[in-house]
Amino acid sequence: GAVVSQHPSRVICKSGTSVKIECRSLDFQATTMFWYRQFPKQSLMLMATSNEGSKATYEQGVEKDKFLINHASLTLSTLTVTSAHPEDSSFYICSAPQKMAEAFFGQGTRLTVV
Amino acid sequence: GEDVEQSLFLSVREGDSSVINCTYTDSSSTYLYWYKQEPGAGLQLLTYIFSNMDMKQDQRLTVLLNKKDKHLSLRIADTQTGDSAIYFCAEADRGSYIPTFGRGTSLIVHP
């Protein structure tokens, strides 16, 4: 099946620093990728839709200046958490649809801000 | 309220069948999904069903859809300890194909 690779799987950073998370589609091209955030024992919350060659579309309540998304190529989207704070600690997951109605997910990134 | 609802926990004995239930509210839902998430990992697409189908079977997995009641279920036959995980129900409409997820059902399989 299709593979989506997310890196890093875990990161610990100091408060005030920025962290970049990468999402790659390994064996297919993805003009669109999705970024989710998951709180403990909660559902996945869609943060934004990453669009290759254009600006990302952010969901209501998500700060675009805090969560910078860049879709540099047809196989790579990055999410940068800028000036991270402890409340940004969470599990971030990306997904990419390979074909209509089938979205494949990365392994997720556990971000801890200390 | 939530668009997709699931019970939070299910505990079964190894070898028994598991049935995980889900209800959704969006009548325009076209695709209904079941994903599996193991601890600390991303989501694995298990199966999905189109809204014009009643049932889909794939090896040990059987998905039943009652469109009238907006009820979806996932049955896992001969449940194994390796099936212990969180199972997410999700729905998407034809326009976006972006899944909306339930909160997940934590399946615990006892030896």
Side-chain angles (χ1 to χ4, degrees):
Chain A
V3 178
V4 174
S5 176
Q6 195 172 334
H7 177 81
S9 57
R10 289 179 179 271
V11 58
I12 301 173
C13 70
K14 290 186 178 180
S15 195
T17 60
S18 295
V19 173
K20 181 185 284 188
I21 303 169
E22 293 187 347
C23 181
R24 293 182 185 273
S25 56
L26 295 186
D27 51 1
F28 65 99
Q29 294 182 333
T31 56
T32 302
M33 292 187 181
F34 305 108
W35 287 97
Y36 293 85
R37 182 173 179 177
Q38 185 180 29
F39 294 98
K41 301 190 189 307
Q42 296 289 325
S43 181
L44 282 75
M45 181 191 79
L46 179 65
M47 298 174 65
T49 302
S50 173
N51 304 299
E52 191 269 336
S54 64
K55 292 182 180 180
T57 306
Y58 289 82
E59 296 299 302
Q60 192 172 6
V62 178
E63 298 176 60
K64 59 181 69 175
D65 294 331
K66 176 147 198 69
F67 299 101
L68 298 179
I69 290 172
N70 184 282
H71 200 132
S73 73
L74 287 170
T75 59
L76 174 64
S77 174
T78 60
L79 167 67
T80 301
V81 183
T82 63
S83 186
H85 290 282
E87 57 265 30
D88 299 325
S89 298
S90 193
F91 194 59
Y92 294 87
I93 309 177
C94 70
S95 80
Q98 187 206 16
K99 55 185 178 181
M100 186 183 299
E102 289 192 23
F104 294 91
F105 285 77
Q107 307 94 315
T109 298
R110 171 72 60 193
L111 170 63
T112 304
V113 185
V114 297
Chain B
E2 289 182 334
D3 294 326
V4 180
E5 293 192 3
Q6 307 175 235
S7 53
L8 294 182
F9 298 99
L10 177 65
S11 177
V12 300
R13 199 178 296 275
E14 189 175 20
D16 289 348
S17 293
S18 308
V19 179
I20 303 171
N21 294 300
C22 168
T23 57
Y24 60 98
T25 57
D26 190 348
S27 58
S28 66
S29 297
T30 304
Y31 301 95
L32 295 134
Y33 306 88
W34 284 104
Y35 285 88
K36 177 183 180 182
Q37 184 181 34
E38 297 186 14
L43 272 67
Q44 174 193 356
L45 176 62
L46 289 177
T47 187
Y48 65 95
I49 189 169
F50 297 105
S51 60
N52 61 356
M53 297 168 64
D54 298 322
M55 186 188 87
K56 181 177 181 181
Q57 186 161 2
D58 184 2
Q59 299 182 329
R60 291 191 297 125
L61 305 179
T62 303
V63 178
L64 294 178
L65 174 62
N66 182 328
K67 192 173 180 182
K68 174 176 170 290
D69 294 337
K70 298 189 181 67
H71 182 268
L72 184 74
S73 68
L74 174 69
R75 178 177 181 270
I76 306 173
D78 187 24
T79 313
Q80 302 298 308
T81 54
D83 294 324
S84 293
I86 300 175
Y87 290 81
F88 288 93
C89 170
E91 58 88 17
D93 62 38
R94 187 190 301 274
S96 70
Y97 303 115
I98 302 173
T100 298
F101 290 86
R103 292 177 64 183
T105 299
S106 181
L107 174 64
I108 300 169
V109 183
H110 299 285

